[in-house]
């Protein structure tokens, strides 16, 4: 049997990134945390944490922490019986989820807020590209993910949420400077765009579908949904934005949609581990409800 007190110390170090911060969270000394971690490593005959700044899990450490997350999730359902009528155990539960930045900037806050009001459970959100959030789930790093990957994940179920619609925009000043004679493949090839990170191919997809253009590498790297919008409004570059965020600026004339007015849809899915835990059921219901209102999904 695993020593769950020691495993909790391992999980705290991995989450917080250091023994000192883990000690503060657990209400222990750093020395006591270190002793628990070292003792568990000795019993298992394996290193669980790579010491450094920050501390990182080994593959076995990550696997054991994923197991601990699932055990704690199931134990929450026992809290009322274990703690008496008030149901208070004094042990807060935090669910780790992976979500893409554009969902977090648009529809996902409604889901998170509804879940928080209903359960009081905390969330630890990990941001990643929607094409890669499912990998966080496969590695056991998170319990659920908003993803663009519909492929099945072992031990999980997937629900279609709908599509996040994107629109290609630029400021009036940018349009006059770079597209004074109109938007065509030649002008687009010379105009700087924005990309969220090296994995963001949305602008390239739009240019390919709209103009048959293989987009050159004239990109500003902007790893922020709000930064994307602010820099487009300031006239730095053109880019694709969630329609929900861009619509009021288009209506006010602060942004102009690029012809041929092609809008792209990115299908999103909710993939969650198959555990009979009330918290995950509440969370899935909140996510599907928020998505259906904003994405028009069938979740």
């Amino acid at each position: 049997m695993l020593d769950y007190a020691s495993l909790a110390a391992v999980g705290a170090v991995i989450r917080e990134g250091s023994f000192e911060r883990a000690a503060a969270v657990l209400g222990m000394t750093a020395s006591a945390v270190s002793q628990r971690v070292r003792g568990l490593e000795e019993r298992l005959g394996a290193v669980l944490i790579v010491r450094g700044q920050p501390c990182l899990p080994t593959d076995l450490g990550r696997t054991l922490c994923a197991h601990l997350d699932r055990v704690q999730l199931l134990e929450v359902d026992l809290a009322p019986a274990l703690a008496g009528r008030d149901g208070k155990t004094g042990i807060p539960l935090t669910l780790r989820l992976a979500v893409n930045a554009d969902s977090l900037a648009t529809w996902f806050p409604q889901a998170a807020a509804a879940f928080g009001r209903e359960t009081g459970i905390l969330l630890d959100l990990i941001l990643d590209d929607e094409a890669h959030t499912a990998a966080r789930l496969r590695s056991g790093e998170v319990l659920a993910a908003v993803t663009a990957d519909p492929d099945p994940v072992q031990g999980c179920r997937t629900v279609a949420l709908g599509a996040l619609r994107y629109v290609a925009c630029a400021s009036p000043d940018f349009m006059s400077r770079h597209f004074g004679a109109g938007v065509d493949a030649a002008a687009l090839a010379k105009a700087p765009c924005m990309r969220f990170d090296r994995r963001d191919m949305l602008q390239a997809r739009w240019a390919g579908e709209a103009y048959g253009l293989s987009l050159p590498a004239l990109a500003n790297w902007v790893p922020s949904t709000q930064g994307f919008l602010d820099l487009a409004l300031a006239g730095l570059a053109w880019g694709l934005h969630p329609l929900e965020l861009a619509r009021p600026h288009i209506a006010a004339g602060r942004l102009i949609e690029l012809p041929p007015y092609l809008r792209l849809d990115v299908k999103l899915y909710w993939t969650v581990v198959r555990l009979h835990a009330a918290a995950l059921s509440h969370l899935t219901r909140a996510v599907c409800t928020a998505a259906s209102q904003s994405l028009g999904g069938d979740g």
Side-chain angles (χ1 to χ4, degrees):
M1 295 294 291
L2 290 171
D3 177 353
Y4 283 94
S6 297
L7 188 52
V10 172
V13 173
I14 291 172
R15 282 194 309 273
E16 300 300 324
S18 76
F19 283 81
E20 291 75 16
R21 288 197 293 273
V25 170
L26 295 173
M28 303 167 58
T29 66
S31 175
V33 173
S34 180
Q35 288 176 9
R36 287 190 178 186
V37 172
R38 187 169 58 252
L40 183 58
E41 289 178 328
E42 290 174 353
R43 285 193 293 276
L44 295 176
V47 175
L48 302 178
I49 295 174
V50 179
R51 276 69 167 174
Q53 296 295 330
C55 293
L56 297 173
T58 63
D59 288 343
L60 179 57
R62 185 179 295 109
T63 298
L64 289 176
C65 285
H67 170 72
L68 178 64
D69 288 341
R70 286 159 173 75
V71 169
Q72 290 177 330
L73 186 62
L74 293 172
E75 285 181 345
V76 167
D77 290 346
L78 295 175
L82 295 175
R85 284 183 161 183
D86 60 4
K88 295 177 181 178
T89 64
I91 303 173
L93 177 67
T94 300
L95 298 185
R96 302 193 79 194
L97 317 174
V99 61
N100 60 307
D102 289 341
S103 289
L104 189 59
T106 52
W107 64 273
F108 193 81
Q110 286 70 41
F115 174 71
R117 286 193 298 268
E118 185 177 7
T119 67
I121 294 172
L122 305 175
L123 296 178
D124 181 358
L125 302 178
I126 298 176
L127 285 181
D128 205 344
D129 183 88
E130 61 271 10
H132 299 274
T133 47
R136 304 269 191 171
L137 193 59
R138 291 186 176 95
S139 72
E141 188 176 356
V142 299
L143 292 166
V146 176
T147 177
D149 183 357
D151 292 340
V153 177
Q154 185 176 8
C156 299
R157 70 184 184 98
T158 297
V159 180
L161 295 176
L164 189 57
R165 178 157 292 182
Y166 288 84
V167 56
C169 298
S171 70
D173 171 68
F174 185 89
M175 295 293 291
S176 65
R177 285 187 288 115
H178 293 275
F179 302 125
V183 179
D184 56 25
L188 198 66
K190 298 177 181 178
C193 70
M194 290 182 287
R195 289 177 64 186
F196 192 88
D197 57 25
R198 265 65 183 175
R199 298 174 297 183
D200 175 15
M201 302 303 296
L202 203 57
Q203 284 66 221
R205 175 185 161 190
W206 186 90
E209 292 188 18
Y211 291 99
L213 173 67
S214 180
L215 202 62
L218 297 173
N220 298 277
W221 303 97
V222 185
S224 161
T225 299
Q226 188 60 49
F228 239 67
L229 188 61
D230 291 342
L231 290 171
L233 289 166
L236 175 68
W238 71 275
L240 274 91
H241 310 270
L243 179 59
E244 181 180 338
L245 299 181
R247 182 184 284 115
H249 297 289
I250 295 173
R254 294 185 292 268
L255 288 177
I256 296 175
E257 187 173 355
L258 271 63
Y261 312 108
L262 172 68
R263 296 177 175 183
L264 298 183
D265 287 342
V266 174
K267 292 182 180 180
L268 296 176
Y269 304 86
W270 175 247
T271 302
V272 57
V273 296
R274 290 185 182 275
L275 283 179
H276 295 293
L280 288 183
S281 297
H282 291 312
L283 180 58
T284 296
R285 182 167 58 249
V287 166
C288 292
T289 298
S292 68
Q293 293 170 350
S294 183
L295 304 178
D298 54 8

